């Protein structure tokens, strides 16, 4: 919504690793975002599959990423970590929803003007409330 927000040092995320954060959307709702690092890029994606949008890619212990591709834990569709595109499986020909991030001088920033950073971790990790899947907006 305004200036870039520092999310993490690049070195905090290993190659084929991810960081889960929670942001506030322009409509006031909260959304989870995975920041993914591959050999080729750092990218941000809303934390849900395109096949079943109630399926989180990171269920609270890191997204599964293999060779630069994000693996959906439910049916195994693989999304390119840099483009978000899936070319096979149940989610074929879909693309994850991007959240803009940038890397500058070894620091990862949230630069998307459609949302603002709330906290690291999933939606339910900040207030101690038990898990809920009510974070999706339609
Ligand atoms: S829910 Fe992700 S591939 Fe089916």
């Amino acid at each position: 919504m305004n200036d870039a927000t520092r999310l993490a040092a690049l070195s905090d995320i290993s190659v084929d690793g991810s960081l889960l954060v929670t942001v506030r959307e322009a409509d006031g709702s909260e959304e989870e975002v995975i920041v993914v690092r591959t050999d080729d890029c750092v990218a941000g994606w809303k934390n849900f599959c395109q096949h079943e949008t109630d399926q989180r890619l990171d269920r609270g212990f890191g997204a599964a990423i293999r060779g630069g591709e994000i693996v959906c834990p439910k049916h195994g569709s693989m999304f390119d970590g840099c483009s978000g595109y899936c070319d096979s499986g149940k989610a074929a020909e879909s693309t994850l929803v991007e959240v803009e991030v940038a890397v500058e001088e070894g620091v990862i920033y949230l630069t998307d003007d459609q949302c603002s950073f709330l906290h690291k971790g999933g939606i339910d990790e900040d207030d101690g409330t038990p898990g809920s899947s009510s974070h999706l907006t339609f």
Side-chain angles (χ1 to χ4, degrees):
M1 301 198 164
N2 38 36
D3 296 338
T5 304
R6 182 190 191 282
L7 296 178
L10 180 61
S11 59
D12 289 342
I13 306 177
S14 59
V15 172
D16 283 350
S18 64
L19 172 71
L20 179 65
V21 302
T22 298
V23 300
R24 185 171 305 286
E25 304 254 56
D27 67 0
S29 64
E30 295 183 7
E31 188 72 70
E32 291 183 354
V33 173
I34 53 171
V35 180
V36 169
R37 180 181 180 190
T38 73
D39 272 329
D40 301 318
C41 70
V42 172
W45 307 106
K46 291 188 180 177
N47 187 27
F48 58 85
C49 184
Q50 294 301 294
H51 174 224
E52 295 180 5
T53 55
D54 61 349
Q55 177 60 52
R56 298 161 83 202
L57 299 168
D58 180 342
R59 295 173 291 174
F61 40 86
I65 303 172
R66 306 278 182 270
E69 296 195 279
I70 305 162
V71 185
C72 175
K74 189 162 186 181
H75 299 118
S77 286
M78 299 175 75
F79 297 87
D80 184 280
C82 297
S83 71
Y85 183 71
C86 175
D87 63 4
S88 63
K90 302 253 187 196
E93 299 184 24
S94 68
T95 303
L96 299 176
V97 181
E98 184 172 19
V99 175
E100 292 179 19
V101 299
V103 179
E104 189 173 321
E105 296 182 1
V107 177
I108 303 170
Y109 294 93
L110 175 68
T111 56
D112 197 313
D113 63 4
Q114 298 302 306
C115 60
S116 56
F117 176 77
L118 285 179
H119 58 83
K120 289 185 180 177
I123 288 173
D124 297 329
E125 291 179 45
D126 195 44
D127 59 7
T129 322
S132 161
S133 59
S134 62
H135 61 286
L136 296 174
T137 56
F138 296 96

